[in-house]
Amino acid sequence: MIVDCAIYRDGRRTEGPADFSDALDEARASGDAFLWIGLHEPTEKEFDLVSSEFGLHPLAVEDALSAHQRPKLEVYDDSLFAVIKPIVYEHDSDTVSADELMVFIGDSFVVTVRHGEGAPLAAVRRRLEAEADVLKHGPTAVLYAISDAVVDHYIDVAGELQVDLEELETQVFAPSGTGDSKNTAARIYTFKRQVLEFRRATVPLAAPMARLASAGVPYVHEHSQPFFRDVQDHLTRANEQVEGLDRLLSDILSAHLAQMGVRQNDDMRKISAWAAMAAVPTMVAGIYGMNFEHMPELGWVWAYPVIVLLMAGAVIGLYRQFKRRGWL
């Protein structure tokens, strides 16, 4: 579905033909204008019309339709193709999901293809249309604005994940019995998968941004390197935050497993202590429960209370010993 289609001349949006084919011809004829067409999850039939008119490479068209691509930058004969993965943070469920955004740049056109509901480009259009000095640099300005908006949102999402991580850390290191640790390990693994999803979007994007920040990339304005270097710096910061989150999660998981081991050892010591205290009277009762005729104590009038006191004294002595050693 075509979301928006407009011609931009000297940094200003201008009215053009409703048909994007005629609009492209007008943009190319003027020489100082370009056409920006935005699509959202187009069908194969819809995108065939666009790709044939703009002369997009078949391999890039296949990637744009199928989605599920890694962030990358490809240079073809007639266009530049970039894949960026916007990140969406769901506040209700504290989960992270990645959508996909494809950008085609040519001599006088920009084609953006979105998959998913994240990172709508309407705000990017409004921002660019309010900054004519940036927009007059042509299609490169669109690629820069999109990259800048997506990478800045990475930093925001990383901040949200940091807050969630602090809450998880508080739960893991809460005093024994004050927190619900039943599903703590599952939460840590789920959180780690969220961070992995985040890393799949941010880490592979470093190479395309470094390439755009250097000179000699076709269809990229010769004076745009400082802008892309700024995006690259922000991306580096986001990647460092993600790496930090991943390391902290690994440390928290190790600490949680260590705590579980300590708690299990404590439980085993308590069970062993109670079993030892139960074993002594059981042994004595077992001896006097044997059916032997020659047991001198059976004929003694004080035998029963003495044996009972002996068993009670042994249990009390063992209890005090285990209590002193911290087993109970």
Side-chain angles (χ1 to χ4, degrees):
M1 179 178 65
I2 297 179
V3 178
D4 200 352
C5 179
I7 297 176
Y8 295 88
R9 182 178 291 105
D10 195 27
R12 304 292 180 182
R13 179 169 181 151
T14 61
E15 296 297 329
D19 184 75
F20 66 83
S21 178
D22 296 335
L24 178 61
D25 292 338
E26 180 178 323
R28 284 174 170 167
S30 64
D32 60 347
F34 70 94
L35 174 67
W36 181 1
I37 179 172
L39 301 97
H40 180 240
E41 297 182 354
T43 64
E44 185 175 353
K45 182 178 180 181
E46 290 173 337
F47 203 60
D48 281 345
L49 298 174
V50 177
S51 61
S52 61
E53 185 64 35
F54 288 83
L56 305 179
H57 196 279
L59 292 177
V61 171
E62 181 181 356
D63 290 343
L65 287 173
S66 61
H68 304 293
Q69 304 296 316
R70 285 169 57 89
K72 62 181 180 178
L73 182 68
E74 299 285 351
V75 178
Y76 297 102
D77 294 336
D78 300 324
S79 63
L80 183 71
F81 177 60
V83 178
I84 303 174
K85 296 179 76 69
I87 291 294
V88 179
Y89 178 82
E90 299 291 343
H91 290 275
D92 296 336
S93 58
D94 294 336
T95 57
V96 169
S97 60
D99 294 330
E100 293 193 31
L101 179 60
M102 287 78 169
V103 183
F104 294 87
I105 291 181
D107 54 351
S108 301
F109 67 86
V110 177
V111 178
T112 56
V113 182
R114 289 195 300 116
H115 290 271
E117 298 300 327
L121 296 180
V124 177
R125 278 187 185 263
R126 290 194 297 268
R127 170 191 165 189
L128 279 175
E129 290 172 359
E131 298 177 357
D133 291 340
V134 177
L135 191 57
K136 69 180 182 181
H137 289 90
T140 303
V142 177
L143 179 58
Y144 157 72
I146 293 173
S147 304
D148 186 55
V150 171
V151 171
D152 284 348
H153 191 60
Y154 286 165
I155 297 176
D156 296 337
V157 173
E160 297 284 353
L161 291 177
Q162 182 67 42
V163 174
D164 293 342
L165 181 61
E166 291 173 359
E167 295 177 358
L168 180 61
E169 188 176 16
T170 301
Q171 177 182 345
V172 171
F173 294 105
S176 178
T178 61
D180 182 13
S181 61
K182 182 178 180 181
N183 297 320
T184 301
R187 283 195 61 191
I188 295 174
Y189 277 114
T190 301
F191 204 128
K192 201 168 182 64
R193 181 162 292 279
Q194 305 292 330
V195 174
L196 177 61
E197 185 74 13
F198 199 167
R199 292 185 63 183
R200 287 175 178 170
T202 62
V203 174
L205 188 59
M209 286 298 108
R211 190 175 178 185
L212 289 169
S214 61
V217 180
Y219 304 107
V220 176
H221 196 277
E222 57 182 359
H223 299 303
S224 64
Q225 284 75 33
F227 296 95
F228 285 109
R229 279 198 295 268
D230 181 67
V231 177
Q232 185 184 15
D233 290 341
H234 291 180
L235 180 61
T236 301
R237 176 184 170 188
N239 281 329
E240 289 174 350
Q241 288 180 289
V242 174
E243 291 291 338
L245 289 172
D246 190 50
R247 287 195 300 269
L248 282 174
L249 275 172
S250 298
D251 293 341
I252 290 174
L253 179 60
S254 299
H256 174 67
L257 295 177
Q259 283 183 333
M260 293 297 294
V262 171
R263 290 172 185 171
Q264 288 176 352
N265 289 337
D266 290 341
D267 292 340
M268 288 302 299
R269 288 193 299 181
K270 290 179 181 179
I271 293 172
S272 299
W274 286 109
M277 287 189 292
V280 172
T282 301
M283 180 187 67
V284 175
I287 292 174
Y288 283 92
M290 293 184 293
N291 297 320
F292 293 129
E293 294 183 2
H294 302 289
M295 297 182 70
E297 297 86 352
L298 296 180
W300 186 31
V301 67
W302 295 104
Y304 178 75
V306 168
I307 295 302
V308 171
L309 289 175
L310 177 63
M311 290 190 295
V315 171
I316 293 173
L318 287 174
Y319 177 82
R320 295 182 63 182
Q321 186 71 13
F322 288 138
K323 194 72 172 179
R324 188 181 301 112
R325 294 180 176 272
W327 284 38
L328 293 174

